[in-house]
Every structure is written in C-alpha cells, then in structure tokens.
Amino acid sequence: MQLVVARVGRAHGIKGEVTVEVRTDEPELRLAPGAVLATDPASTGPLTIETGRVHSGRLLLRFAGVTDRNAAEALRNTLLIAEVDPEELPEDEDEYYDHQLIDLDVVTEDGTEVGRITEISHLPSQDLFIVERPDGTEVMIPFVEEIVAEIDLEEQKAVITPPPGLIDDRAEIASTRDAGAAGDES
C-alpha cells in the first residue's frame, strides 16, 4: 500500500536540497537516507534520498541525481510516496495511519450516528476528520483527545464527545449582555 509521507517545498541553497512538508509521524523511518520513494506526479520519480538534515526547524532533503537549484526547484509540490505493508502498525498504540481511519463509522458516546470518515486533513496545528453525514453533507471533527474518545479498529468506529455546535446547530451562546438592553432607553 502507498502512503504520502511528504510534499516537496522550495529549493534550499544551490546544491540541490529541498525543504519538505512532512506528512508522516515517522520521518526518521520513511525519509531516511537510502529510502526510495514513488512520486506524484510519477514522471518526477522514483526519488532516492541521499541526505537529510534539519535546518531552522525544517527538514531538508537531497535526492540522488538532483545536484543544483534548478533541478531541486523542478521538484516543487511533488508528493513523496512510501510503499508500506498494510499490516504494519505505528509503534505508539495511540497513533494510526490514514488508511486505518478512512471509512470508520463516527458515533457519539450515546451511539448516535454522525457519519463516515472520508478523508484526513493534516493541518499544522492538528489533524481533522472529514466526515460525510448520512444526508451527504460534511462535518470536520478535530482529531484531538478531548473530542475523539475512542478509535475501535475491530468495530470499525470512532467514538466522539463533540462540544455543542460541532456537529449540530445547537451551539451554546454565552453572553454577558442582556439582549434587550442595547438602545432600549425609552
């Protein structure tokens, strides 16, 4: 099975290095020197990682055969794809690969059906479940401990404890102003 593990950013310097946006929790495993990665678009790969280093908090990679800034810049926005055994699981029991979460049923703790996970959106601050509701609409659910109470791969479900307003329109509105007080001085 193929997993997107990074996206190539801009060229760094003049010797062929590129910045990468990491999309894996295991960069030391997936983006190590010697790793051969498929690409999207396929015409730019496969790419073999020659070196990797962290500079100012960003991962920089150099690929075999990419020796100058122009060649590095030509790789910009290329997705890097690793071949992963579908039976392989992350080391931490609270980590999951996207393919394990896609198609899970999402229910609240009382068993109310919310929908089905159709996509995982990886944002800098947190991951989001994109959930398709039974009526065809989508809702985004932050994949954080306070909201996602349980992931049960055997039962193929994710149990959530959503705050008011996340999956319905019944948001709690807290205001210290009296609604009738503004402009009502007659």
Side-chain angles (χ1 to χ4, degrees):
M1 171 177 33
Q2 296 188 323
L3 294 177
V4 173
V5 293
R7 183 182 65 82
V8 176
R10 65 180 201 275
H12 179 83
I14 60 171
K15 296 181 180 179
E17 282 185 313
V18 295
T19 62
V20 292
E21 173 190 307
V22 177
R23 294 190 180 175
T24 176
D25 289 337
E26 302 167 316
E28 65 286 345
L29 174 67
R30 307 281 180 223
L31 301 171
V36 179
L37 302 169
T39 60
D40 181 9
S43 60
T44 60
L47 294 171
T48 302
I49 297 175
E50 200 168 82
T51 64
R53 66 185 178 106
V54 176
H55 176 73
S56 298
R58 295 200 59 101
L59 179 61
L60 302 178
L61 296 179
R62 181 176 300 134
F63 300 104
V66 178
T67 58
D68 62 32
R69 185 174 185 85
N70 291 338
E73 194 60 42
L75 295 175
R76 192 174 197 156
N77 292 321
T78 297
L79 296 178
L80 302 176
I81 303 166
E83 190 64 40
V84 177
D85 180 345
E87 301 301 314
E88 182 180 329
L89 299 175
E91 289 179 16
D92 188 345
E93 67 182 46
D94 289 334
E95 289 182 5
Y96 302 93
Y97 292 132
D98 287 5
H99 72 272
Q100 295 175 294
L101 301 171
I102 299 293
D103 287 331
L104 290 185
D105 292 323
V106 179
V107 297
T108 60
E109 285 187 314
D110 66 7
T112 303
E113 179 185 5
V114 176
R116 182 180 57 83
I117 300 172
T118 58
E119 182 182 341
I120 313 295
S121 180
H122 300 281
L123 303 176
S125 58
Q126 67 192 14
D127 295 337
L128 290 175
F129 291 159
I130 310 301
V131 177
E132 184 177 312
R133 303 191 69 158
D135 65 5
T137 61
E138 287 185 339
V139 63
M140 292 183 269
I141 299 175
F143 187 17
V144 294
E145 192 175 328
E146 297 81 17
I147 297 174
V148 179
E150 177 187 1
I151 299 290
D152 186 336
L153 296 178
E154 283 187 23
E155 294 288 324
Q156 287 290 291
K157 69 179 180 180
V159 179
I160 63 169
T161 56
L166 182 66
I167 60 172
D168 56 31
D169 294 331
R170 296 186 304 272
E172 291 177 3
I173 300 172
S175 175
T176 56
R177 272 199 285 177
D178 180 12
D184 198 20
E185 296 187 17
S186 28

